[in-house]
Amino acid sequence: MKRALTPGTFDPITSGHLDVITRAAQLVDEVVVAVAASQKKGPLFTLEERTALARQATAHLPNVRVEPFDGLLVDFAHEIGASIVVKGLRAVTDFEYEFQQTALNYQLSPELETVFIMSPPQYMYLSSSIVREIASMNDAKLDEFVPACVAEALRAKFAR
Ligand code: COA
């Protein structure tokens, strides 16, 4: 069974993330969306909230499950038997950073393959921080960028 990991902080999961996860799910038997604790980033949503939102957003995808993790990505991949890491590439600006992370992961775990899926044009500019900013200013626009459950959670978070 080919199992892939799609890791990230998912603070919160966006339509761009969902696009990558959906594409990955068509390529392998099972996708595990790995929600990183990422405490250093001081996330808006707790790990439990980010995991729950990712579960709701992917509930329609039968071969996708969502798991939280803390620690090294390579260790988590080993623990759950994943042989591939799938990440989204939005723009050239992502490349340097992804290049560094991938090189490090190859060093730590040579047998773990990393594969990149290019984002389609409509998601190239999208990021979780842009979504958080929009939510804090004009939540009417949110539905274009995130699944409905996430828009609702953001509205609740920023309710004034
Ligand atoms: N669509 C929309 N947004 C996307 C995206 C996509 N396809 N791909 C990335 N992004 C955005 C995220 O929304 C996030 O935006 P923000 O910073 O504006 O909030 C940004 O890109 C960074 O994404 P993030 O989810 O934080 O991922 P990352 O590339 O920084 O890596 C982990 C996160 C979990 C994969 C990485 O930190 C990790 O492996 N951590 C475990 C510890 C470890 O193993 N470290 C050593 C290896 S690096």
Side-chain angles (χ1 to χ4, degrees):
M1 182 199 247
K2 276 269 174 245
R3 184 175 289 130
L5 265 183
T6 55
T9 305
F10 301 108
D11 186 35
I13 190 166
T14 68
S15 302
H17 292 128
L18 203 51
D19 178 77
V20 173
I21 294 162
T22 305
R23 289 168 193 274
Q26 287 160 4
L27 301 175
V28 296
D29 299 306
E30 187 183 45
V31 170
V32 178
V33 178
V35 183
S38 297
Q39 281 316 326
K40 272 192 308 194
K41 283 195 161 186
L44 174 68
F45 289 99
T46 65
L47 180 58
E48 291 70 25
E49 288 171 331
R50 285 179 278 133
T51 303
L53 286 173
R55 284 198 177 125
Q56 287 177 60
T58 57
H60 61 292
L61 299 169
N63 62 335
V64 173
R65 66 185 164 97
V66 179
E67 300 292 345
F69 81 103
D70 199 358
L72 284 178
L73 180 68
V74 293
D75 290 340
F76 185 62
H78 186 70
E79 191 184 309
I80 64 159
S83 54
I84 308 169
V85 174
V86 178
K87 299 205 77 180
L89 262 192
R90 291 161 300 169
V92 185
T93 43
D94 278 348
F95 183 79
E96 187 85 31
Y97 178 64
E98 294 296 347
F99 183 74
Q100 191 185 19
Q101 281 195 36
T102 303
L104 179 65
N105 286 335
Y106 280 158
Q107 189 72 31
L108 294 171
S109 181
E111 70 288 350
L112 184 65
E113 197 55 71
T114 299
V115 172
F116 293 96
I117 292 181
M118 268 186 64
S119 294
Q122 71 265 36
Y123 299 133
M124 288 227 161
Y125 58 88
L126 194 54
S127 73
S128 297
S129 53
I130 283 178
V131 161
R132 294 194 300 271
E133 192 170 333
I134 294 168
S136 71
M137 291 173 181
N138 181 353
D139 64 13
K141 299 279 181 198
L142 272 178
D143 302 275
E144 293 174 34
F145 308 114
V146 293
C149 59
V150 174
E152 197 181 312
L154 281 163
R155 286 187 181 110
K157 207 50 119 173
F158 286 103
R160 283 174 285 255

